[in-house]
Amino acid sequence: MKKKLAAVAFFAASALALSACGGPGAPTTSPTQTSPAPGDTAPAGDAQDITFWLIGGDTPQPLRDYLVEEYKEVNGGTLTIEEQTWGDIIAKLTTSLPDAANTPDVTEIGNTQSPTFTNVGAFADISDMYDELGGDKLLQSFVEVGSVDGTNYTLPYYFGSRYMFYRKDVWAEAGVEVPKTLDEFNAAVKTITEKNPRNIADFSGFFLGGQDWRNGISWIFANGGDLAKVENGEWVSTLSDPNSVKGLQQLQDLQLNASMAPSTARDASPWLYINDADEVKDADGKVETETSLAAATIMAPGWAHWSIGDLVTNDAGDPVREWNDDVFGVFALPGNDGKPAPVFAGGSNIGISATSQNQEGSRDLLRIIFSEEYQTMLGENGLGPANSDFVGSLGDDQFAQALIESASNSKLTPAAPGWAGVEASLKLEEFFAAVAEGGDIAALTAQYDAELTPMLNQK
């Protein structure tokens, strides 16, 4: 059975690199914001014109139109939505949030970026709205990175999650079945690599880039480890924790014995290695080709399925991928405790600027966003709703089920004030590459714990 999928641009190399915070939306240039002059916050009940920053193109236009229309109905004011880009959002928020004359009233923010701003008071306290907006039904890992000392500053906007895409045909040829535990998965992909049933050069049972820490940390999490924790009021890097080390040993075994991905490779476009090297001609007669089949399994966010399948020509004459159920399948990475392994969740949070002069209007917008109507619209458009009551709106196909299952036990990076700096430093890429190259894990974890601990506490 084949399922026709929408087109997606080939070679979208940056899509997964941004998946820590959001999906592969096409950025646009944001308009110049016009903000009210500094002054007192308008009293409750007055119509307020507010500005909402969205990052990237993940939120479809019909949802934006709904927010604008519904806000006018609920508040009486005008909602202006401005699209920002993932590449410069940290710099723009750093400059704009403290400035009452130029701040967005409400903004989307990457889940891993949230702690850097919540820890310096950039967002308003919305703890009194927590239960009203969904309470414990909200994705708790996202709630945690938006909180400081039990106070809520940002809440989840939408989620994505990572799961496994695999070649059913190659797995069958290697004589292995879909695993039920992490140990079974580790053994299966090593077996596939060893057997290499089609004798493909540089073939990977599981393609995992050496610098791909966003996927690699799943093995740390699955063994009870973590990247950092709080000790005596300070954040401490915990790569050398025995549970983290156990996970890193498993990961290194896979990188050395199941993956032929370069140690310098990150998490960009792994789907290129699971597809066949088909050729089609576009409307101008140009032959389009992609990288030859080089992997039986990849790990990627759910939206990668649009880029996996047989290469065909659509009605417009453009080459697109068409999912083929006979060749490809998906499953959530299993843990060893009967639950899915904890994987790094993608997605965004949302918060109200502490300097916004339109606090009541901003709260009205949050009420709309967390309403049943809007949460359902998110799911219907392939974005994981923040509220678990509405995940059914994602549908019931295999992609929705894998997304829901993998997200059910997902984790985020530490809610440390300096985490954005850690990511920007590329220290994690250095560390995981060294592990992939066969480095001594005890020595590497001690070295990088010493380097990362002071960075975690920088505000």
Side-chain angles (χ1 to χ4, degrees):
M1 172 184 176
K2 293 185 177 181
K3 181 177 180 181
K4 189 64 176 284
L5 302 180
V8 67
F10 289 154
F11 309 112
S14 62
L16 293 186
L18 299 179
S19 65
C21 300
T28 61
T29 303
S30 61
T32 302
Q33 178 175 333
T34 302
S35 298
D40 294 333
T41 299
D46 285 4
Q48 296 182 334
D49 297 338
I50 66 171
T51 300
F52 177 29
W53 281 11
L54 286 172
I55 313 175
D58 297 331
T59 302
Q61 190 61 46
L63 275 68
R64 302 180 189 213
D65 293 342
Y66 175 84
L67 291 177
V68 171
E69 295 166 4
E70 192 69 10
Y71 182 77
K72 187 70 174 179
E73 179 71 22
V74 168
N75 179 274
T78 298
L79 169 64
T80 300
I81 296 177
E82 298 180 357
E83 184 170 312
Q84 309 300 326
T85 63
W86 286 109
D88 63 2
I89 190 60
I90 292 292
K92 292 198 73 170
L93 288 175
T94 300
T95 301
S96 301
L97 286 175
D99 182 359
N102 292 291
T103 185
D105 297 288
V106 181
T107 185
E108 180 182 3
I109 186 169
N111 49 29
T112 65
Q113 300 164 348
S114 188
T116 296
F117 292 93
T118 56
N119 277 278
V120 295
F123 291 110
D125 180 355
I126 53 174
S127 300
D128 60 327
M129 300 186 74
Y130 176 69
D131 289 333
E132 177 186 359
L133 299 181
D136 293 343
K137 295 295 183 68
L138 300 176
L139 189 60
Q140 289 303 299
S141 57
F142 285 50
V143 170
E144 290 168 7
V145 296
S147 305
V148 179
D149 297 329
T151 300
N152 301 111
Y153 294 100
T154 69
L155 294 174
Y157 178 45
Y158 72 88
F159 72 85
S161 193
R162 297 158 186 264
Y163 50 84
M164 295 297 169
F165 295 83
Y166 75 109
R167 293 282 303 227
K168 291 180 179 178
D169 50 356
V170 178
W171 276 57
E173 291 164 15
V176 295
E177 299 180 349
V178 173
K180 293 182 171 58
T181 68
L182 184 62
D183 287 343
E184 289 179 1
F185 174 85
N186 296 342
V189 293
K190 288 193 294 182
T191 296
I192 296 170
T193 306
E194 180 182 359
K195 289 190 174 182
N196 189 4
R198 299 189 182 182
N199 296 315
I200 298 171
D202 298 323
F203 177 74
S204 299
F206 174 37
F207 187 92
L208 182 66
Q211 294 189 17
D212 183 4
W213 65 266
R214 291 180 176 87
N215 283 323
I217 56 178
S218 299
W219 278 260
I220 293 178
F221 294 159
N223 283 281
D226 213 330
L227 297 175
K229 64 180 180 181
V230 176
E231 289 184 354
N232 300 319
E234 295 290 324
W235 281 93
V236 177
S237 178
T238 55
L239 294 173
S240 58
D241 177 88
N243 292 327
S244 299
V245 168
K246 181 179 179 182
L248 288 166
Q249 289 170 337
Q250 291 180 1
L251 180 65
Q252 187 179 64
D253 184 31
L254 292 177
Q255 290 167 325
L256 294 175
N257 298 301
S259 177
M260 299 299 169
S263 63
T264 55
R266 300 185 185 177
D267 59 345
S269 305
W271 52 80
L272 295 177
Y273 305 101
I274 198 172
N275 284 319
D276 287 318
D278 299 322
E279 295 185 357
V280 297
K281 292 183 178 180
D282 63 16
D284 298 322
K286 179 182 178 182
V287 174
E288 298 283 346
T289 63
E290 287 194 309
T291 306
S292 298
L293 172 63
T297 319
I298 64 169
M299 187 175 186
W303 52 72
H305 79 265
W306 301 109
S307 300
I308 296 172
D310 300 331
L311 192 59
V312 300
T313 302
N314 65 12
D315 293 340
D318 299 319
V320 297
R321 285 289 172 183
E322 183 181 79
W323 183 270
N324 186 339
D325 275 333
D326 293 331
V327 176
F328 302 96
V330 298
F331 60 88
L333 178 67
N336 281 323
D337 57 359
K339 300 178 181 178
V343 297
F344 174 48
S348 297
N349 276 28
I350 191 169
I352 299 172
S353 170
T355 61
S356 167
Q357 302 166 82
N358 302 304
Q359 294 290 319
E360 290 303 319
S362 298
R363 285 169 167 249
D364 283 340
L365 178 60
L366 291 193
R367 293 183 180 100
I368 296 169
I369 288 172
F370 288 91
S371 68
E372 178 177 355
E373 291 78 11
Y374 191 77
Q375 292 288 300
T376 299
M377 292 173 71
L378 286 170
E380 290 172 346
N381 284 273
L383 301 173
N387 190 316
S388 61
D389 279 349
F390 309 116
V391 294
S393 61
L394 286 164
D396 58 3
D397 63 21
Q398 60 185 318
F399 309 111
Q401 293 305 308
L403 171 62
I404 294 168
E405 185 179 3
S406 61
S408 67
N409 203 27
S410 64
K411 288 191 64 170
L412 292 181
T413 50
W419 185 257
V422 169
E423 288 196 14
S425 73
L426 303 183
K427 288 290 184 182
L428 290 174
E429 282 81 358
E430 291 178 12
F431 170 74
F432 277 82
V435 171
E437 291 168 356
D440 181 87
I441 290 178
L444 287 169
T445 55
Q447 174 191 340
Y448 280 87
D449 276 348
E451 294 180 16
L452 293 174
T453 291
M455 298 176 65
L456 290 167
N457 295 286
Q458 292 177 356
K459 296 184 179 181

